[in-house]
Amino acid sequence: MKWIFCFLIGVIVGLLGFFNNLAVENIAGIKFVVTSNLMLARKYTMAFLVFASSNFGLTLFASLITAFIAPEAAGSGIPEVKAYLNGVDAPEIFSLRTLLIKIVGSICAVSSSLNIGKAGPMVHTGAIVATLIGQGGSNKFRLPWKWLRVFDNDRDRRDLVTCGSAAGIAAAFRAPVGGLLFALEELASWWRSALLWRAFFTTAVVAIVLRALIDVCMRGECGLFGKGGLIMFDVTSANISYHLKDVPPVLLLGVIGGIVGSSYNLLLNKILRIYNMINEKGITYKIILACSISIFTSCLLFGLPWLAYCRPCPSDSSEPCPTIGRSGNYKKFQCQPGHYNDLASLFFNTNDDAIKNLFSKDTDSEFHLASMFIFFVTCYFLSIFSYGIVAPAGLFVPVIVTGAAYGRFVGMLVGSNSNLNHGLFAVLGSASLLGGTMRTTVSLCVIILELTNNLLLLPLSMLVLLISKTVADAFNGNIYDLIVASKGLPYLESHTEPYMRQLTVGDVVTGPLRIFHGIEKVSNIVHILKTTRHNGFPVVDEPPLSVSPVLYGLILRAHLITLLKMKVFLRNPAPVGSDASTQFSADDFSKKGFGHGDQIEDVDLSEEEMEMFIDLHPFTNTSPYTVLETMSLAKALVLFRQVGLRHLLVIPKTSDRVPVVGILTRHDFMPEHILNLYPDMVTGRWKRLRFQFPQSRKLI
Amino acid sequence: MKWIFCFLIGVIVGLLGFFNNLAVENIAGIKFVVTSNLMLARKYTMAFLVFASSNFGLTLFASLITAFIAPEAAGSGIPEVKAYLNGVDAPEIFSLRTLLIKIVGSICAVSSSLNIGKAGPMVHTGAIVATLIGQGGSNKFRLPWKWLRVFDNDRDRRDLVTCGSAAGIAAAFRAPVGGLLFALEELASWWRSALLWRAFFTTAVVAIVLRALIDVCMRGECGLFGKGGLIMFDVTSANISYHLKDVPPVLLLGVIGGIVGSSYNLLLNKILRIYNMINEKGITYKIILACSISIFTSCLLFGLPWLAYCRPCPSDSSEPCPTIGRSGNYKKFQCQPGHYNDLASLFFNTNDDAIKNLFSKDTDSEFHLASMFIFFVTCYFLSIFSYGIVAPAGLFVPVIVTGAAYGRFVGMLVGSNSNLNHGLFAVLGSASLLGGTMRTTVSLCVIILELTNNLLLLPLSMLVLLISKTVADAFNGNIYDLIVASKGLPYLESHTEPYMRQLTVGDVVTGPLRIFHGIEKVSNIVHILKTTRHNGFPVVDEPPLSVSPVLYGLILRAHLITLLKMKVFLRNPAPVGSDASTQFSADDFSKKGFGHGDQIEDVDLSEEEMEMFIDLHPFTNTSPYTVLETMSLAKALVLFRQVGLRHLLVIPKTSDRVPVVGILTRHDFMPEHILNLYPDMVTGRWKRLRFQFPQSRKLI
């Protein structure tokens, strides 16, 4: 059953990824062909108007549908998926509506020449597809077949979402192994070997679907998409040889890449905060922001190539020069016949084609140093300013473009002191900037390997990634973690902070504890459910049901509401025996997909019913995880995180009191919560782990 | 600090791996060159004698040193590393002596043309190097610098061993990413992102060291090793194209590969049981077994090529034919000038060269169908019979050879019905057989990718691996798990068996529980330590120290023995306060490397001392993990396994008894233990997961 689901996820995500690429290449392609033809006819103003207005229209459409129909579809989606896999349920993140907007919005936004990527939205798309398949349709249009809904528990859903997001990366970059590793390294909070295998199956299906579709494209039926091909940026060269003297420039590349990457994260985080303030003012402001970014981008993309000199075509070029039509490195732009504009071949192109140009070998003399610098700086800032708009937008591709420009720029500076050609420098530059922002290592290494099909480059790209990650980690965190934190999602880290070892769980348990008795009055239940927001409650048996107060187990809010709705009430407080649960099917208690479940406010009860009782015993989880109140907080966190809990009962050490002291939830382990209780813990060693910039903090 | 250690591990394992390869290629190379020269001179008997006696000598030497000096070095080592990473401490597995024997023995055994591999021994070597570095030298020759011994806890050691074994595979196959993934997928029981990163760093160092050493070989200074090269079996071909019609033969390859692989596991397991019986009879039997396998192998390798017809050399061959000297596909063997023997070019070669021949493209007509079948069958049985001998022996390379022969055989049968050449079939055949025996997916896929440098083959090899693993899993388990089980190591599986959900922890806790009081009499401690084999004891405070009996914590046997040796005794049973522990350094209580620690029998105490007391409070772990006795066994196992515990305290639900019911250890979770207590649990569903072969069981 799970395998069939994984197969379906693989097929659907593979198809979506393919058609996503196809649509982007064709929409953007037609736009560029029309504009280029106008340029050839020397109608420059007209060309700019067509270019800018089509970009504007596409961006407007993407932001309108996102803002009005599914605001959850904005942005990359990777932070949300990461938080979900950590155990944070955010409503509406995985709905059918979000899926549709994400796909359409991403195609439009990427086609509109904004400097944003499609990988993040593909991950989110994959995750939504997995969720919808797992719950047998959306909440509203649910399939009637009950047997499809076998995944009504959190773990299986998380596994499916992991598979789906792995498939998303696999489809976006045609990198099955890299996608799998990215899902495991960056997204998943819990790994299991079985999960690894199932995710591998999913990405294998994606790879095979893509491979089959390429056969279709080979026959030239994909329009401007061309031949597709399984490898995106093929830089195979028969024999790359590099020696020890090539290592220092590569080290330098890694160090600077780490610094540039961490400053990227820093700036992006600041810009996102500013954008959030703007976006909170209302939908109109969101749309205006998106549109102004689009106009700004169009002006830059069209305007900056005019800065570059026209250069004569090389006589020994294997490609037609200047390029007429869609593909090809040598854009004519405003130049004379026989000349080409090197900046235009980067700017006036889709991001994919720009990367292809930057990665290509035997093009060392094609680009000018100043052009490369302009391109790098523009990409760097454009991608930072474009991410936060209200449209589906990824970060992966912009970082690859920026890194490639940076790497090629460094390669040009090093010049003939290295055996590596500039295309390889571009690949390594991408690796270093990716390492500096995303901070994953193995998965990026494999993604770059699969993107470029160059195994001999592996030792160098491993080196670059390690250095840039190490350097960048000294300054700030992973870009996705920063976004998760800025969204205020309670993400549970896997490591424990040192001060947690000095605290016991008894120190952080707060608030008045609400306890239910084994047989509880209906009015009590309704009152407690209405006055608290807790999702789990301990059930305690007291005399006469037992000799002394005994912890019976844990009952969930959702189950209590179900019981109230089903009105399984008793007139007298007497136990009903274990056969009471047989009148319910497991389906009544299963988790009802995403979004808000039933609310206590929806339950209508008469006065008479309020005075009746419920026997909670058959519906209580009798094996909750427990810790003693003297347990170290750090150890309790390890348990909470490793086992993937939502509630952890704290029981007293001595037996002369109530049998449960409190409940720990995710929020009790958040550093903000703990430091709020014990502000003097913010001292000493653990703060020294990150460099502080008191000066820059004050300025910004 | 950890990074420096990982760097050292990477450098040392990289160097060891390189010199291992170098030594094997040179020793085996000289042997083959001498024998071939004799063959050219038509001195066949002489040639056989030289060949057989050199093989015999090398095997004898390898088994002598293994049997007498370090019997732990026999076999692959992967099962031991896997068990260690699961938490099973086996003595002497990671000692300097084992390391030396493992390296020398592996070189001799592989050079002696036995059908065994070097990957498993390299993993073990890497793990030992990591352990020795982590504990700052061997137990006997420990380095004097105390600051080197910073890893005196289990988790850090496990992490280092994981890095070391990843480096081992990386060095053996020159596959850094594949090695890392193999360590994570197959060996490690606990993963963390930080560990992933450190292991990646280690394998990156290995890759860079190997890359640097290849520069040396390029200058021709490696003797018969040739140019080395970072990619072992390069099968890059400019454009592999395959279409839908190539999929059915590949599916078939996967299905049969799965069946062949699972039968391989089954047979190997049977043979190992027989060998174990022989080996238990004494060292002489062990040596005789190893030597007879060597003679048998020599006879087969020298004899079988005579069965093949001599074939005329192809006129358009790019290589010299017949081959004179070491490398090259066309072995002359007994043939006329201008002819070659195709079987000899497989048998009469090192395994690496045989794989290279089988994987090579444009050699579709080089081998005969019957030759390939003979080679496949011989390899299959030889590798099964060779593994269990008393010498370091891996399984990876033999499975690759066998699989390559099988794949090429299938490729020949399919013939012109496929676009794939026979070399690619050989690669896919290796993949299918590896999937059928090792049962890992992602890591094998990446290892094959890195071995062959052919990214376009990735979708097909993913498909083949998935199918063969699925098919083989229906029959039996992973080869390493079978070996772990046959060695009787208490390996803790990550999944829970269904019957565990029906039991509570209270049902499986057995044996009389030994409890210490907070202030305990020395004679009691000595008595309990001498009469039990437990490694952890609960410490309970009773009146007058507390109002009622209270669980104070858990104390370890090793710490008790240290306390007894240090003689920190009190004349009166009064608490000493928390400053008592200041007279000890943390080093006194740290784990003393591998092997047996201090024994209780070593502690000498006078009569007077026996009557004194120890205050255990300062030395007790006050935050042990606990479960209520009504906790489901399955949930307790999840906790035990996920958090990586050695002891789990069971506390009572009601408070009117002793505050601790028992201690769960690894052995209490073993299915054998539970099914021994509840034999009627062996029914119904969970047994149906594996097919049963009642017939074959009876026959064997």
Side-chain angles (χ1 to χ4, degrees):
Chain A
M1 203 55 210
K2 289 178 183 174
W3 294 99
I4 296 171
F5 279 13
C6 286
F7 179 77
L8 280 177
I9 294 170
V11 171
I12 294 175
V13 175
L15 288 173
L16 284 177
F18 181 76
F19 288 116
N20 197 335
N21 269 336
L22 194 67
V24 168
E25 289 288 318
N26 277 305
I27 296 176
I30 290 168
K31 187 182 72 186
F32 281 117
V33 166
V34 170
T35 322
S36 295
N37 286 341
L38 288 169
M39 297 287 291
L40 285 177
R42 306 200 150 266
K43 295 174 183 167
Y44 297 129
T45 327
M46 190 64 197
F48 174 71
L49 284 179
V50 168
F51 182 68
S53 61
S54 57
N55 287 347
F56 184 81
L58 287 166
T59 311
L60 185 66
F61 180 67
S63 28
L64 278 178
I65 57 173
T66 313
F68 281 102
I69 304 177
E72 298 81 14
S76 154
I78 292 181
E80 284 86 355
V81 174
K82 189 173 177 182
Y84 170 69
L85 291 176
N86 190 262
V88 183
D89 276 359
E92 287 297 321
I93 285 294
F94 296 112
S95 69
L96 184 63
R97 209 172 61 203
T98 314
L99 174 68
L100 293 176
I101 300 304
K102 197 97 197 182
I103 297 171
V104 177
S106 168
I107 291 174
C108 293
V110 174
S111 308
S112 75
S113 290
L114 285 174
N115 199 350
I116 56 178
K118 61 198 171 186
M122 271 311 297
V123 170
H124 196 175
T125 304
I128 302 177
V129 168
T131 314
L132 293 181
I133 287 180
Q135 64 191 42
S138 82
N139 284 338
K140 284 170 196 157
F141 316 102
R142 196 179 273 264
L143 287 181
W145 309 308
K146 275 211 168 173
W147 54 266
L148 263 179
R149 273 180 273 157
V150 290
F151 294 120
D152 282 328
N153 73 64
D154 277 333
R155 204 183 74 164
D156 286 339
R157 274 195 195 147
R158 267 199 302 259
D159 288 358
L160 272 186
V161 169
T162 309
C163 294
S165 35
I169 287 275
F173 291 124
R174 298 172 226 169
V177 179
L180 165 65
L181 290 175
F182 186 80
L184 291 181
E185 188 176 1
E186 178 62 34
L187 300 173
S189 296
W190 292 280
W191 296 352
R192 287 177 300 124
S193 276
L195 174 60
L196 193 70
W197 186 28
R198 216 168 300 138
F200 183 69
F201 174 71
T202 316
T203 58
V205 171
V206 171
I208 291 160
V209 167
L210 289 178
R211 184 64 191 73
L213 289 172
I214 284 163
D215 268 5
V216 177
C217 282
M218 287 289 190
R219 285 185 246 122
E221 291 167 14
C222 299
L224 293 163
F225 189 33
K227 290 195 177 170
L230 197 63
I231 293 160
M232 291 183 92
F233 317 113
D234 202 333
V235 296
T236 320
S237 48
N239 45 356
I240 307 168
S241 63
Y242 47 92
H243 302 286
L244 270 184
K245 77 162 186 169
D246 298 325
V247 173
V250 169
L251 293 180
L252 185 76
L253 202 73
V255 173
I256 302 179
I259 296 170
V260 173
S262 62
S263 71
Y264 187 94
N265 289 4
L266 185 77
L267 281 179
L268 186 64
N269 206 16
K270 301 269 176 219
I271 295 290
L272 276 184
R273 281 172 204 279
I274 297 169
Y275 276 20
N276 279 344
M277 282 190 290
I278 297 173
N279 286 342
E280 272 165 16
K281 288 185 182 167
I283 288 181
T284 325
Y285 285 89
K286 288 186 189 179
I287 308 271
I288 291 174
L289 180 65
C291 290
S292 49
I293 295 288
S294 168
I295 294 171
F296 183 60
T297 306
S298 296
C299 293
L300 280 183
L301 295 192
F302 198 88
L304 284 174
W306 297 88
L307 294 178
Y309 297 104
C310 288
R311 312 179 76 196
C313 285
S315 54
D316 56 346
S317 165
S318 56
E319 289 183 81
C321 173
T323 308
I324 308 293
R326 171 90 177 75
S327 60
N329 292 350
Y330 301 103
K331 290 273 172 187
K332 188 168 169 289
F333 213 66
Q334 90 286 18
C335 296
Q336 300 295 322
H339 287 64
Y340 71 97
N341 184 325
D342 61 344
L343 257 183
S345 64
L346 298 173
F347 274 127
F348 210 60
N349 229 332
T350 59
N351 275 337
D352 283 4
D353 287 325
I355 297 173
K356 217 170 275 173
N357 287 349
L358 289 168
F359 280 6
S360 60
K361 57 175 175 167
D362 302 334
T363 50
D364 286 8
S365 57
E366 191 180 309
F367 298 102
H368 198 267
L369 190 64
S371 308
M372 202 48 71
F373 185 72
I374 293 173
F375 185 65
F376 164 59
V377 172
T378 315
C379 277
Y380 183 82
F381 287 105
L382 263 190
S383 64
I384 290 176
F385 281 103
S386 307
Y387 174 76
I389 65 165
V390 57
L395 275 170
F396 239 104
V397 174
V399 171
I400 295 179
V401 184
T402 314
Y406 149 71
R408 211 164 168 122
F409 179 70
V410 171
M412 286 173 169
L413 288 181
V414 173
S416 58
N417 292 321
S418 170
N419 292 317
L420 298 173
N421 69 48
H422 296 174
L424 296 181
F425 265 108
V427 174
L428 294 175
S430 294
S432 78
L433 205 58
L434 283 171
T437 52
M438 315 278 167
R439 312 285 166 83
T440 57
T441 49
V442 196
S443 57
L444 284 177
C445 201
V446 175
I447 288 176
I448 288 168
L449 175 66
E450 291 187 285
L451 279 178
T452 60
N453 190 24
N454 200 326
L455 201 66
L456 290 165
L457 209 55
L458 189 63
L460 284 185
S461 57
M462 289 175 100
L463 189 69
V464 159
L465 274 170
L466 280 169
I467 292 170
S468 66
K469 177 181 159 71
T470 314
V471 170
D473 270 348
F475 295 105
N476 52 24
N478 174 332
I479 183 80
Y480 297 122
D481 287 346
L482 292 178
I483 297 176
V484 166
S486 79
K487 283 182 186 264
L489 299 170
Y491 188 85
L492 209 61
E493 294 289 342
S494 63
H495 62 268
T496 56
E497 303 285 355
Y499 58 79
M500 289 184 184
R501 287 192 212 125
Q502 302 163 31
L503 294 171
T504 66
V505 291
D507 295 333
V508 297
V509 167
T510 52
L513 178 67
R514 304 308 184 127
I515 290 177
F516 285 120
H517 300 292
I519 295 172
E520 186 62 87
K521 208 171 173 186
V522 173
S523 59
N524 271 352
I525 296 177
V526 172
H527 175 73
I528 291 181
L529 288 183
K530 278 189 177 161
T531 52
T532 66
R533 298 276 84 194
H534 298 170
N535 280 313
F537 302 90
V539 176
V540 170
D541 273 342
E542 290 198 340
L545 282 174
S546 64
V547 186
S548 61
V550 165
L551 175 65
Y552 186 75
L554 183 80
I555 193 158
L556 297 179
R557 165 183 286 265
H559 294 181
L560 284 172
I561 292 175
T562 307
L563 288 177
L564 291 177
K565 285 191 117 178
M566 313 280 281
K567 308 203 174 184
V568 279
F569 303 145
L570 307 171
R571 300 217 165 259
N572 308 313
V576 288
S578 61
D579 57 323
S581 56
T582 53
Q583 57 182 291
F584 299 94
S585 70
D587 203 44
D588 293 330
F589 289 102
S590 68
K591 214 174 160 188
K592 297 287 189 302
F594 281 90
H596 296 289
D598 296 320
Q599 299 297 312
I600 179 65
E601 284 75 16
D602 304 339
V603 180
D604 269 331
L605 294 172
S606 65
E607 282 291 320
E608 188 191 9
E609 282 168 338
M610 291 293 259
E611 292 303 311
M612 290 162 83
F613 296 88
I614 301 183
D615 184 358
L616 299 178
H617 289 110
F619 313 104
T620 303
N621 167 14
T622 54
S623 288
Y625 284 96
T626 55
V627 288
L628 289 175
E629 58 182 336
T630 53
M631 172 73 107
S632 129
L633 186 63
K635 282 189 155 187
L637 175 57
V638 169
L639 165 63
F640 195 88
R641 165 73 206 233
Q642 291 291 337
V643 183
L645 299 179
R646 291 187 185 277
H647 305 99
L648 182 58
L649 286 179
V650 181
I651 55 177
K653 187 144 200 170
T654 51
S655 43
D656 46 353
R657 285 190 285 150
V658 285
V660 58
V661 175
I663 288 191
L664 289 174
T665 62
R666 169 176 296 271
H667 290 277
D668 295 313
F669 289 108
M670 288 290 119
E672 304 85 55
H673 171 78
I674 298 166
L675 295 176
N676 204 19
L677 290 172
Y678 300 94
D680 51 322
M681 287 286 179
V682 200
T683 49
R685 267 171 46 197
W686 77 279
K687 272 233 117 174
R688 249 186 283 143
L689 291 172
R690 294 256 155 87
F691 296 143
Q692 298 287 319
F693 297 107
Q695 286 301 325
S696 64
R697 286 271 162 91
K698 274 174 206 155
L699 288 173
I700 296 170
Chain B
M1 202 54 207
K2 289 179 184 173
W3 293 99
I4 296 172
F5 280 11
C6 285
F7 179 76
L8 281 177
I9 294 170
V11 171
I12 295 175
V13 175
L15 288 174
L16 284 177
F18 180 75
F19 288 116
N20 197 335
N21 268 335
L22 194 67
V24 167
E25 289 288 319
N26 278 303
I27 296 176
I30 290 168
K31 186 182 73 188
F32 281 118
V33 166
V34 170
T35 320
S36 295
N37 287 341
L38 288 169
M39 296 287 292
L40 285 178
R42 306 202 149 264
K43 295 177 183 163
Y44 299 128
T45 325
M46 191 64 195
F48 175 70
L49 285 179
V50 168
F51 182 68
S53 62
S54 57
N55 286 347
F56 184 82
L58 287 166
T59 310
L60 185 66
F61 179 67
S63 23
L64 278 177
I65 57 173
T66 313
F68 281 102
I69 305 177
E72 298 80 14
S76 155
I78 290 182
E80 284 86 355
V81 174
K82 189 173 177 182
Y84 170 69
L85 290 177
N86 191 261
V88 183
D89 276 0
E92 286 297 321
I93 284 293
F94 296 111
S95 70
L96 183 62
R97 209 174 57 204
T98 313
L99 175 67
L100 294 176
I101 299 305
K102 196 97 198 181
I103 296 169
V104 177
S106 167
I107 291 173
C108 293
V110 174
S111 309
S112 75
S113 290
L114 285 174
N115 198 352
I116 56 179
K118 60 199 171 185
M122 271 311 298
V123 170
H124 196 176
T125 304
I128 303 177
V129 168
T131 315
L132 294 180
I133 287 181
Q135 65 191 39
S138 81
N139 284 337
K140 283 168 197 160
F141 317 101
R142 199 180 272 264
L143 288 180
W145 310 306
K146 275 212 169 173
W147 54 264
L148 262 180
R149 273 180 274 155
V150 289
F151 294 120
D152 281 329
N153 72 64
D154 277 332
R155 203 182 75 161
D156 286 340
R157 274 196 197 148
R158 263 200 305 258
D159 287 0
L160 273 185
V161 169
T162 309
C163 293
S165 35
I169 287 273
F173 290 124
R174 298 170 227 169
V177 179
L180 165 63
L181 289 176
F182 186 80
L184 291 181
E185 189 177 359
E186 178 60 35
L187 300 173
S189 295
W190 293 281
W191 297 352
R192 288 176 300 123
S193 276
L195 174 60
L196 193 70
W197 187 27
R198 217 169 298 136
F200 184 69
F201 174 70
T202 317
T203 58
V205 172
V206 172
I208 291 161
V209 167
L210 289 177
R211 184 65 192 73
L213 289 171
I214 283 165
D215 269 5
V216 177
C217 280
M218 286 290 192
R219 284 185 246 122
E221 290 168 17
C222 299
L224 293 165
F225 189 32
K227 290 195 174 169
L230 196 63
I231 293 161
M232 291 182 91
F233 317 113
D234 203 332
V235 296
T236 319
S237 48
N239 46 356
I240 306 170
S241 64
Y242 47 91
H243 301 286
L244 271 183
K245 76 161 188 169
D246 298 326
V247 173
V250 169
L251 293 180
L252 185 75
L253 201 72
V255 172
I256 302 178
I259 296 170
V260 175
S262 62
S263 70
Y264 187 92
N265 288 5
L266 185 78
L267 282 179
L268 185 63
N269 206 17
K270 300 270 175 219
I271 296 291
L272 276 184
R273 280 172 204 279
I274 297 169
Y275 277 20
N276 279 345
M277 282 190 290
I278 298 173
N279 286 343
E280 273 166 16
K281 289 186 182 168
I283 288 181
T284 326
Y285 285 88
K286 288 187 189 180
I287 309 266
I288 290 174
L289 180 65
C291 292
S292 47
I293 293 288
S294 169
I295 294 170
F296 183 60
T297 306
S298 297
C299 293
L300 280 183
L301 295 192
F302 198 87
L304 284 175
W306 295 88
L307 293 179
Y309 296 105
C310 289
R311 312 179 75 196
C313 286
S315 52
D316 56 344
S317 163
S318 56
E319 289 182 80
C321 173
T323 309
I324 309 292
R326 172 91 177 75
S327 60
N329 292 351
Y330 301 103
K331 290 272 171 188
K332 190 169 165 291
F333 214 66
Q334 90 287 15
C335 295
Q336 301 295 323
H339 287 63
Y340 72 95
N341 184 324
D342 60 344
L343 257 183
S345 63
L346 299 173
F347 274 125
F348 210 60
N349 229 332
T350 59
N351 275 338
D352 282 5
D353 287 325
I355 297 173
K356 217 171 274 172
N357 287 349
L358 288 169
F359 280 6
S360 60
K361 57 174 174 167
D362 302 333
T363 50
D364 287 6
S365 57
E366 191 180 306
F367 299 102
H368 198 266
L369 191 65
S371 308
M372 201 48 71
F373 185 72
I374 293 172
F375 184 65
F376 164 59
V377 173
T378 315
C379 279
Y380 183 84
F381 287 104
L382 264 191
S383 63
I384 289 175
F385 282 103
S386 305
Y387 175 75
I389 65 166
V390 59
L395 275 171
F396 239 105
V397 174
V399 171
I400 294 179
V401 185
T402 314
Y406 149 70
R408 215 169 164 117
F409 179 69
V410 171
M412 286 173 170
L413 288 181
V414 173
S416 58
N417 292 321
S418 170
N419 292 317
L420 300 171
N421 69 47
H422 296 174
L424 295 181
F425 264 108
V427 174
L428 295 175
S430 295
S432 78
L433 205 58
L434 283 170
T437 51
M438 314 281 168
R439 312 287 166 86
T440 57
T441 49
V442 197
S443 57
L444 284 177
C445 199
V446 175
I447 288 176
I448 288 168
L449 175 66
E450 289 185 287
L451 279 178
T452 60
N453 190 24
N454 200 326
L455 200 66
L456 289 166
L457 209 54
L458 189 63
L460 284 185
S461 57
M462 289 174 98
L463 189 69
V464 159
L465 274 170
L466 279 170
I467 291 171
S468 66
K469 178 182 158 71
T470 313
V471 169
D473 271 349
F475 295 104
N476 52 23
N478 175 332
I479 184 78
Y480 297 121
D481 287 345
L482 292 179
I483 297 175
V484 166
S486 79
K487 282 179 185 268
L489 299 170
Y491 189 87
L492 209 59
E493 294 289 342
S494 63
H495 62 267
T496 55
E497 303 285 353
Y499 58 80
M500 290 182 183
R501 286 190 213 127
Q502 301 163 29
L503 295 171
T504 66
V505 291
D507 295 334
V508 297
V509 166
T510 52
L513 178 67
R514 305 306 187 130
I515 290 177
F516 285 120
H517 300 293
I519 295 171
E520 186 61 87
K521 209 171 172 185
V522 172
S523 58
N524 271 352
I525 296 177
V526 173
H527 174 74
I528 290 181
L529 288 183
K530 278 190 177 162
T531 52
T532 66
R533 299 275 85 194
H534 298 169
N535 279 314
F537 302 90
V539 176
V540 171
D541 273 344
E542 290 198 340
L545 282 173
S546 64
V547 187
S548 60
V550 165
L551 174 65
Y552 186 76
L554 182 80
I555 194 158
L556 297 180
R557 165 182 287 262
H559 295 179
L560 285 172
I561 293 175
T562 308
L563 289 176
L564 291 177
K565 285 191 119 177
M566 313 280 280
K567 309 205 172 186
V568 279
F569 303 145
L570 308 169
R571 300 219 165 260
N572 307 313
V576 289
S578 60
D579 58 322
S581 57
T582 53
Q583 56 182 293
F584 298 94
S585 70
D587 204 43
D588 293 329
F589 289 104
S590 69
K591 214 175 159 185
K592 297 288 190 302
F594 282 89
H596 295 289
D598 296 320
Q599 298 297 312
I600 180 64
E601 285 74 19
D602 304 339
V603 180
D604 269 332
L605 295 171
S606 67
E607 282 290 320
E608 187 190 10
E609 283 168 337
M610 290 293 260
E611 292 302 311
M612 290 164 81
F613 296 87
I614 301 185
D615 183 358
L616 298 177
H617 290 111
F619 313 103
T620 303
N621 167 13
T622 55
S623 287
Y625 284 96
T626 54
V627 286
L628 290 176
E629 57 182 335
T630 53
M631 172 74 107
S632 128
L633 187 63
K635 281 188 157 189
L637 174 58
V638 170
L639 164 63
F640 195 88
R641 163 74 205 232
Q642 290 291 335
V643 182
L645 299 179
R646 291 185 185 278
H647 303 100
L648 181 58
L649 286 179
V650 181
I651 55 177
K653 186 143 200 173
T654 50
S655 43
D656 46 352
R657 287 189 284 152
V658 285
V660 58
V661 176
I663 289 190
L664 288 174
T665 62
R666 170 177 296 271
H667 291 276
D668 295 314
F669 289 108
M670 289 289 119
E672 303 86 58
H673 171 76
I674 298 167
L675 294 177
N676 204 19
L677 289 174
Y678 299 93
D680 51 323
M681 289 284 178
V682 199
T683 49
R685 267 171 48 196
W686 76 280
K687 272 231 121 175
R688 250 186 283 144
L689 291 172
R690 295 255 155 86
F691 296 141
Q692 298 288 320
F693 297 106
Q695 286 302 323
S696 63
R697 287 268 162 91
K698 274 173 206 154
L699 287 173
I700 296 171

